[in-house]
Structures are given as structure tokens and as C-alpha cells.
Amino acid sequence: LAKTTQPISMDSYEGQEVNITCSHNNIATNDYITWYQQFPSQGPRFIIQGYKTKVTNEVASLFIPADRKSSTLSLPRVSLSDTAVYYCLVGEQMEYGNKLVFGAGTILRVKS
Amino acid sequence: DAGVTQSPTHLIKTRGQQVTLRCSPKSGHDTVSWYQQALGQGPQFIFQYYEEEERQRGNFPDRFSGHQFPNYSSELNVNALLLGDSALYLCASSFENNEKLFFGSGTQLSVL
């Protein structure tokens, strides 16, 4: 089981770019890296997923080095509404379906 | 298109009682996973249902059981409630082995 390690919290200001790095030293060959965002009293929301190199969507970018032992979620020009908990997950690939294991996540606080 | 819906949103029980939580997956999804999220922690995987059978299970006692119906909706049952069962219970749906989970807003269970 690939365990993930993230910073407990980060502070930023509106308009800045935020980079949250996640370590997953024991990632398996078939595992994907997925990031979720969670606001208080809501369920987590899928942000982005990748396997290697770089993935970009309308919300964020995900950078994954060649050894895949870490990944970095990049949020461009954050706003106050980006204040949330961000989870890095490595999917445990099973024969039938996947069991995603959440860590404690990173609390991002965006200030004005 | 409705997303994942859970009911009830809040529930108060006393120790020793039994509780049933309900989940309707996102349209087109056939897999339902349940997570328990204690305050300040990440969601913890309870189990996953596919084709009306429990496919994967996390480290939870047998007091936690579930069911999936032919229409893919699901129930989570917890017997002999303990104070420590107080948490946000999240349901997530997906399509087959897709790792992209869609979460509901959860049921907040308080055990007194």
C-alpha cells in the first residue's frame, strides 16, 4: 500500500500560485495519482489525476517526475474560495475495483 | 443530472442503537463506496459494493455492514453504536474500475 505524505497546512494570498507536494515513495507501477478537494461539511471533489509527466485541466496542473515518488498539485492564482483541504491519493489497484486511501490532507488557507 | 445523494443529512442516535444510512449513486454509476470521516481527519474506506456484492473492505468491524440494490443504490448499516462511531459518513460512486469518485455531501452521525 503506497502511503502518501503531505504538508499539514499551507497559507497563501489571493492571486498567488500555490504548489502542494505529495510524497509517495512506494507507489506501484499501475497506480495513478489523484487529488481531491474538500470544503467543510461536504464530500471530497475530484480535482485532477495523472500517471506521469504533466497533466493540466481547467482547475489545476499536476506535475509528476520520472521516478513518480512524488507529485505536485499546482493551483494558479488562488482565490479565497480555494480555501479547503487537499488530499493526495494513490489508488490501490485491486483485482476488482479500487480502494482509495485518504491521508490527513493539506489545509490550504487563502488570505486576502 | 443528480449527483450522489445521501439521506438523512444529520442523525442523532444513542449508544447501542442501530442506524441505516442511504445513498443513491450518480446516474450511470454502478459502484458505491462508503467512507467514514472523523473530525479533522481524512475519509477512511469502509467498503465498496459492485453488482450487489461487497467487493472490497477496509479495517472496520462486522458491526458495519452494507447492501447494494439492483438499481445500484446502497445502504450502510451500523449495529451496536459506539460513541466513536460519531462521524461524517460519505458515499461515493464510480463506474466500474474508474478511480474518479463522486462523493455525496454525507450524513453527519452523532452518537450520544
Side-chain angles (χ1 to χ4, degrees):
Chain A
L1 176 60
K3 179 183 176 182
T4 60
T5 303
Q6 306 173 230
I8 295 174
S9 65
M10 296 181 67
D11 291 332
S12 182
Y13 289 93
E14 286 186 290
Q16 290 187 331
E17 178 184 75
V18 171
N19 295 309
I20 306 175
T21 297
C22 177
S23 297
H24 28 77
N25 292 321
N26 297 323
I27 188 169
T29 302
N30 294 331
D31 286 347
Y32 277 75
I33 300 154
T34 310
W35 286 79
Y36 283 80
Q37 173 194 56
Q38 186 176 27
F39 299 112
S41 300
Q42 293 186 27
R45 181 176 74 103
F46 174 90
I47 301 176
I48 197 166
Q49 182 181 79
Y51 183 79
K52 62 180 179 181
T53 62
K54 176 184 175 182
V55 179
T56 298
N57 62 21
E58 65 279 4
V59 176
S61 295
L62 179 60
F63 298 92
I64 305 169
D67 66 5
R68 303 199 331 121
K69 292 184 182 299
S70 67
S71 59
T72 299
L73 174 71
S74 181
L75 304 172
R77 298 180 298 280
V78 294
S79 64
L80 295 176
S81 62
D82 292 317
T83 295
V85 180
Y86 291 82
Y87 296 98
C88 166
L89 294 88
V90 175
E92 180 180 348
Q93 296 287 337
M94 310 295 288
E95 182 178 0
Y96 299 106
N98 306 308
K99 180 177 74 175
L100 295 182
V101 179
F102 284 79
T106 297
I107 300 171
L108 172 64
R109 301 184 192 90
V110 180
K111 306 174 184 178
S112 59
Chain B
D1 175 26
V4 179
T5 58
Q6 293 187 242
S7 63
T9 56
H10 296 82
L11 202 52
I12 299 175
K13 292 286 189 178
T14 57
R15 282 180 298 174
Q17 285 189 314
Q18 179 264 341
V19 68
T20 297
L21 311 181
R22 296 176 176 81
C23 172
S24 292
K26 181 179 171 62
S27 177
H29 286 183
D30 57 8
T31 303
V32 173
S33 302
W34 287 92
Y35 288 79
Q36 179 195 66
Q37 186 172 26
L39 191 63
Q41 298 182 20
Q44 301 299 305
F45 177 80
I46 303 176
F47 43 54
Q48 182 183 79
Y49 278 84
Y50 174 72
E51 293 189 342
E52 302 180 50
E53 291 189 357
E54 183 182 291
R55 183 163 64 177
Q56 305 290 344
R57 189 177 182 92
N59 188 26
F60 279 80
D62 292 343
R63 298 187 297 110
F64 290 77
S65 63
H67 188 77
Q68 185 178 35
F69 299 93
N71 66 353
Y72 307 119
S73 66
S74 177
E75 289 183 348
L76 164 65
N77 301 293
V78 187
N79 294 323
L81 285 167
L82 304 174
L83 296 179
D85 294 332
S86 295
L88 179 67
Y89 288 84
L90 295 162
C91 170
S93 72
S94 60
F95 178 68
E96 291 185 346
N97 292 336
N98 195 319
E99 289 191 0
K100 185 176 180 179
L101 298 182
F102 288 79
F103 283 83
S105 295
T107 294
Q108 185 65 55
L109 173 65
S110 299
V111 182
L112 306 179

